Amino acid sequence: MSAPTNGHRFTPDELASETIAIALSPDTSEPTTLESPYEEQDERAATRRRPLRADRGNDDVRHLEQEVRRARGLVALQDDQALQQALSSRERAADRKVTEKLRALERGEKLKAGKNVARVAQRNRSDEEWAGRARRSRERLLNPNRRLAAVYRRYVALRLGPAFVLFAGVVWNSDRVHDGLVGPDGTALAYLVEPLASVLLIVSLFAQATAVEHGQKVRRSFVLFDVGFLIASLLLMVVPWGLRFGWSAGDLLANTIPSVLIAGAVVGWHVLNRLFSDVFADLHDELSPTRLDEVTTDVVVLYERSKREIAAGRIPVNDIGRPSTEAIRKAFGIGKGRAQLTGDAFDAVSRSLPPTTS
């Protein structure tokens, strides 16, 4: 703040108004503007030639008073807080850089948040797809009709392998038997000798497959029948060829290996029939009509399976011979509700039947 003058301290508003008034008022100490530039030059030259007048000291006092008033106004204005709070161009440029960095960081955070949202949505869609597959698989496993259809399709697909080997072996053996019986230039009727023996084998195999599809067990006589025709086919391949062309090791292998492959196809066919016959029998039993509802049937089946697992020592029991619900659930990989119902079945049987005495 400025110092007091003649006992009066000027306020900033008074000093500012006074300074503005001085700046706007014309300076009376300056000479009057001449009408012509030549006259102004003549006036200045005459002033330099004139001697100093006595009132020159008064002009200096007036000039000094004006300078003092201007200084007081400058002091009043330079103490204003606005000058201290105003930002310079360098500070404004620095603040702009900071703002730009903050906006860049905000854009990065928005990008990360958007990626996280998209990732979560993708994961949810994947979980929904896998959950749908699990539900469909559960329905297929719990529905006997769908289980039977799926098992039958698998059985038909696996049966194509031995059938292909069998047909290819018959075609190969037909050509070799023809050459062994009548020679390469012999009658074409000799090509039918091998199929006449093999067609009965093919009929036997498809008859066995039909029996398995209808839940019937394959009789042992069919197996003996197939073994007999395999031996006949092998002899028909080896003996005529050896008698006509000799018993060389290469020809013997060429005639024996196809018959061995046919025998393997027949064995594989029997293995598939034996395996799937039990599976089809269980599925046909599930499709048979019953007066029990699905829940009761499921509990009875789990009860019997639990008894077998307890007898085998794979499910622990307590002192009264009852397995825990958690043990049943872990043994069969079922839900807690089904395991609880199975445990309730054990409780009902133990309450209803007296304990066995040894």
Side-chain angles (χ1 to χ4, degrees):
M1 299 297 292
S2 62
T5 304
N6 295 329
H8 175 70
R9 182 182 298 273
F10 289 94
T11 63
D13 296 336
E14 293 176 349
L15 292 176
S17 60
E18 183 180 358
T19 303
I20 296 172
I22 293 173
L24 296 177
S25 62
D27 191 357
T28 56
S29 62
E30 296 294 333
T32 305
T33 304
L34 299 178
E35 296 179 359
S36 174
Y38 299 103
E39 294 179 358
E40 181 179 358
Q41 293 178 0
D42 295 341
E43 181 65 21
R44 290 178 180 176
T47 302
R48 285 195 297 269
R49 291 192 299 267
R50 287 197 303 265
L52 296 176
R53 293 178 299 176
D55 59 351
R56 180 66 179 270
N58 294 331
D59 294 339
D60 294 339
V61 171
R62 284 195 297 271
H63 283 294
L64 184 60
E65 288 178 352
Q66 292 176 1
E67 291 180 0
V68 169
R69 286 195 297 271
R70 291 193 183 94
R72 287 174 179 173
L74 180 62
V75 170
L77 292 176
Q78 73 183 7
D79 290 340
D80 197 329
Q81 293 296 326
L83 294 176
Q84 305 298 328
Q85 296 176 358
L87 298 178
S88 63
S89 59
R90 179 178 58 82
E91 291 175 331
R92 289 194 297 271
D95 289 345
R96 182 175 181 82
K97 291 181 179 180
V98 172
T99 304
E100 291 176 354
K101 290 181 179 179
L102 292 176
R103 286 200 296 264
L105 293 176
E106 290 178 358
R107 286 192 294 269
E109 292 297 328
K110 290 180 180 179
L111 179 61
K112 291 180 181 179
K115 288 183 177 180
N116 291 332
V117 172
R119 193 179 298 111
V120 171
Q122 184 178 4
R123 189 182 300 113
N124 291 336
R125 287 194 300 270
S126 178
D127 293 341
E128 290 178 359
E129 292 178 358
W130 282 106
R133 294 180 182 178
R135 286 192 296 268
R136 290 190 295 270
S137 177
R138 180 177 180 274
E139 292 175 358
R140 183 171 58 254
L141 293 176
L142 295 180
N143 189 348
N145 290 316
R146 299 187 64 181
R147 289 174 60 190
L148 179 60
V151 173
Y152 182 73
R153 286 194 298 267
R154 193 176 298 114
Y155 171 67
V156 172
L158 293 176
R159 198 176 59 185
L160 293 177
F164 174 77
V165 175
L166 183 62
F167 282 109
V170 169
V171 173
W172 173 267
N173 290 348
S174 176
D175 181 69
R176 303 292 286 188
V177 169
H178 169 269
D179 293 345
L181 290 176
V182 297
D185 299 330
T187 177
L189 293 176
Y191 286 108
L192 300 177
V193 175
E194 170 61 20
L196 288 177
S198 299
V199 69
L200 298 177
L201 178 62
I202 296 173
V203 170
S204 173
L205 294 180
F206 277 98
Q208 298 170 34
T210 304
V212 172
E213 292 174 1
H214 290 80
Q216 302 294 327
K217 290 186 177 181
V218 178
R219 297 180 180 181
R220 189 178 299 272
S221 59
F222 279 97
V223 179
L224 298 177
F225 183 81
D226 295 342
V227 172
F229 272 102
L230 285 174
I231 295 175
S233 176
L234 181 60
L235 294 176
L236 192 61
M237 279 284 297
V238 175
V239 175
W241 185 277
L243 293 176
R244 178 177 293 274
F245 299 104
W247 303 92
S248 62
D251 292 338
L252 185 62
L253 288 176
N255 294 326
T256 305
I257 291 177
S259 298
V260 172
L261 292 177
I262 293 176
V266 173
V267 172
W269 192 284
H270 282 285
V271 170
L272 289 175
N273 290 337
R274 180 68 61 86
L275 175 63
F276 280 92
S277 61
D278 298 334
V279 177
F280 284 135
D282 294 338
L283 292 176
H284 283 300
D285 291 340
E286 292 183 6
L287 290 174
S288 60
T290 178
R291 288 178 294 181
L292 299 176
D293 57 6
E294 295 182 359
V295 177
T296 305
T297 304
D298 182 61
V299 172
V300 172
V301 172
L302 288 175
Y303 175 80
E304 291 296 329
R305 293 177 62 187
S306 300
K307 287 178 62 178
R308 296 176 185 177
E309 295 295 322
I310 292 172
R314 288 187 287 267
I315 294 182
V317 295
N318 53 19
D319 297 336
I320 61 176
R322 181 193 183 283
S324 63
T325 302
E326 187 65 19
I328 297 174
R329 188 187 67 80
K330 290 183 177 180
F332 302 112
I334 59 178
K336 188 175 181 180
R338 297 175 64 192
Q340 185 65 46
L341 290 175
T342 307
D344 295 341
F346 275 95
D347 292 338
V349 171
S350 63
R351 288 195 303 266
S352 301
L353 297 179
T356 59
T357 57
S358 58

